[in-house]
Amino acid sequence: MNRMYEQRLKRLRDYLKREQIDIALITNPTNIYYFSGFCSDPHERFMALVVDAERKQTFMIVPSLDLEAAEQYSVVRDMIPCSDSDNPFILLNAKIGSKRIGTIGLEKKTFSVHRLERLQELFTGMNTNDIEEFIGLERLIKSDHDLVQIRRAIAITEEALEAALRQVCVGMTELDLTAELEYRIRKLGGDKPAFETIILTGKRSCLPHGKPGPYPIMENDFLLVDFGVYAGGFCSDITRTFVIGEGTKKQEEIYEIVLESNLVAIEEIKIGTLTDISTGREERSSLRGGMELISTTGSATV
């Protein structure tokens, strides 16, 4: 396992050398986990993985509260604890010493303007380079360990959904089912929901990102379940729509249109070819009764 993280760090150092970046300052917790093996959400506190390509020096600045856990799980052994009263950039400056920083690599979507200004106060004249694209491309390549964790997150998702659905009955509210589902996630070993769980029923089920409320599930309602599991550093995401009871002819018609549209889209997908799958789906839905088909390519389910 350690070898996997060490290889990732080596590729990062090689990239920094090629791009003439003196130091990488990685603050996205997911990216820190990818390179170090330490998975933690520091919340409002500062946490960073620092990679000095020239000196082959790698260390972490971690909240003092998380120091013991970081020492246990991270392949990076050099740790600098940072208390709530510490200035993390002063700690960084003290660690680096007299070395002049010409260019520092940052994840610009993650690193706030406030933190950048604090950094510039100590490292005057430095340039910044966005290393987020490189990290994203690296993370596209999954290791065997990654695949195991992804499959585990998916398995927990499917099992939690199956268990929660067995509890569904007329009169149960959206909030009741949300609580049941999130209980199952944790009971089965998930760390937490991957995002805010969406449970919507009846007419509210057409809201793509609605918020569960005290609304009871009724006979012949559509029931939308959109949730995911965060486990082992990876997220799953599943969306399913169910009918409570026998359903109606209108619901059956809607189901058939969505199913057929999805099958058409799947047929149009070709490896190595850019295809606008939405056009075929919309044309087919128009032919089947003129209903407006609202969908995204990110989460289309039957």
Side-chain angles (χ1 to χ4, degrees), residues 63-198:
S64 298
L65 294 172
D66 299 324
L67 178 61
E68 185 176 351
E71 290 175 334
Q72 181 178 354
Y73 293 106
S74 176
V75 299
V76 178
R77 308 317 304 165
D78 192 356
M79 297 282 175
I80 301 175
C82 181
S83 71
D84 290 350
S85 60
D86 286 330
N87 181 332
F89 301 111
I90 291 178
L91 297 177
L92 175 64
N93 192 23
K95 180 69 174 180
I96 293 173
S98 59
K99 175 178 176 174
R100 182 185 178 278
I101 304 299
T103 302
I104 188 165
L106 302 171
E107 306 136 301
K108 290 190 175 181
K109 289 181 181 179
T110 302
F111 209 76
S112 69
V113 174
H114 171 76
R115 286 180 172 178
L116 179 61
E117 289 174 348
R118 301 291 82 75
L119 192 62
Q120 289 171 330
E121 290 172 1
L122 293 171
F123 300 98
T124 56
M126 73 169 193
N127 298 312
T128 61
N129 195 322
D130 192 358
I131 60 174
E132 200 147 20
E133 182 178 359
F134 167 78
I135 294 175
L137 291 173
E138 283 288 298
R139 286 179 51 192
L140 285 176
I141 304 170
K142 305 303 183 188
S143 67
D144 291 341
H145 171 74
D146 293 339
L147 294 176
V148 168
Q149 296 303 316
I150 291 169
R151 291 181 181 122
R152 175 171 170 262
I154 294 169
I156 293 171
T157 304
E158 293 176 338
E159 192 172 344
L161 178 59
E162 185 177 345
L165 287 175
R166 287 196 290 265
Q167 306 302 315
V168 172
C169 60
V170 171
M172 186 181 202
T173 69
E174 295 171 354
L175 289 174
D176 290 336
L177 183 53
T178 300
E180 178 68 28
L181 190 56
E182 294 186 354
Y183 162 71
R184 297 290 175 178
I185 287 172
R186 290 177 169 85
K187 186 173 178 61
L188 291 166
D191 298 319
K192 59 182 179 180
F195 49 88
E196 188 172 353
T197 300
I198 301 172

Side-chain angles (χ1 to χ4, degrees), residues 249-265:
K249 282 290 184 183
K250 188 68 172 179
Q251 288 171 321
E252 184 178 345
E253 181 185 359
I254 293 170
Y255 172 87
E256 293 296 340
I257 290 172
V258 175
L259 173 59
E260 188 173 351
S261 298
N262 273 277
L263 293 176
V264 169

Side-chain angles (χ1 to χ4, degrees), residues 234-246:
F234 289 91
C235 297
S236 65
D237 184 350
I238 189 172
T239 306
R240 294 290 182 267
T241 303
F242 304 92
V243 174
I244 305 302
E246 295 298 319

